[in-house]
Amino acid sequence: MTAMNETIKTIKERRSVRTYKDKPIEKEKINEILECGLMAPNARHLQPWKFIVVTNKDLIRETAKRVQDKVIDNPRYPFVKERLKTKEDAIFYSAPLVIFILGDKKNKWSKIDCSLAAENMMLASKSLGLGSCPIGMARHLKDEKDLIEKLGFDENYELIITLVFGYSDEEPELKERKKDVVEWIE
């Protein structure tokens, strides 16, 4: 086996972090994360994304609470009530940075392209000493018109994925990966 380079090491060590230190992220690091998102491959180089960057703690808390209120009694999400036993914020985990990734509604490749940007951002954050976690439940914001307006979501774009970032206050273990999902045709 060959020695692991830094890129492969970062990919293999990245984990979804759900506990963050109460410490703001430096603007230079946020800009680097965004730059890496912009460098993602995308169909026909149309770059069908918009990134809404939120560092305002009150707005992050309000947004998390709105999502939480929508899903708290949903039987599909029993883990939200569980998390609330130990966390103040069961949606964004009190992370100091939330990035909403929006995709152009008219571009049929937006979901894929925005997902590639999201992965670049999460890998960049790991390489910068930060933790990250993709948050799918934020999609429940779609009916919160006043909040969507406050967040500045463009009506021609839809929320694809939300990412949270911060200085990790935990070291999540590697979860086993399925190996029987690869088929070779030679």
Side-chain angles (χ1 to χ4, degrees), residues 35-92:
E35 183 71 24
C36 288
L38 293 170
M39 297 303 294
N42 57 93
R44 298 182 51 220
H45 197 60
L46 293 174
Q47 303 172 70
W49 45 59
K50 284 190 185 276
F51 307 140
I52 307 295
V53 181
V54 183
T55 57
N56 179 299
K57 283 184 177 187
D58 292 333
L59 186 54
I60 291 171
R61 247 189 309 269
E62 177 186 354
T63 306
K65 180 83 169 88
R66 294 268 197 107
V67 174
Q68 180 184 296
D69 290 348
K70 285 189 155 307
V71 302
I72 192 75
D73 292 320
N74 188 324
R76 291 178 58 202
Y77 306 119
F79 51 87
V80 174
K81 281 185 182 176
E82 262 318 293
R83 286 181 190 153
L84 280 173
K85 292 176 183 174
T86 58
K87 296 185 183 306
E88 179 183 332
D89 175 357
I91 305 300
F92 297 146

Side-chain angles (χ1 to χ4, degrees), residues 81-129:
K81 281 185 182 176
E82 262 318 293
R83 286 181 190 153
L84 280 173
K85 292 176 183 174
T86 58
K87 296 185 183 306
E88 179 183 332
D89 175 357
I91 305 300
F92 297 146
Y93 311 110
S94 302
L97 170 63
V98 177
I99 299 178
F100 297 95
I101 300 179
L102 311 177
D104 184 340
K105 290 178 180 177
K106 293 179 184 168
N107 184 316
K108 69 179 182 177
W109 304 108
S110 278
K111 287 183 172 82
I112 293 169
D113 293 346
C114 290
S115 297
L116 293 167
E119 182 66 10
N120 272 15
M121 291 173 150
M122 289 186 290
L123 291 172
S125 75
K126 174 65 179 169
S127 75
L128 294 169

Side-chain angles (χ1 to χ4, degrees), residues 9 34 54 66 76 88 133 149 169 172:
K9 184 176 186 295
L34 292 165
V54 183
R66 294 268 197 107
R76 291 178 58 202
E88 179 183 332
C133 189
E149 190 174 305
D169 204 17

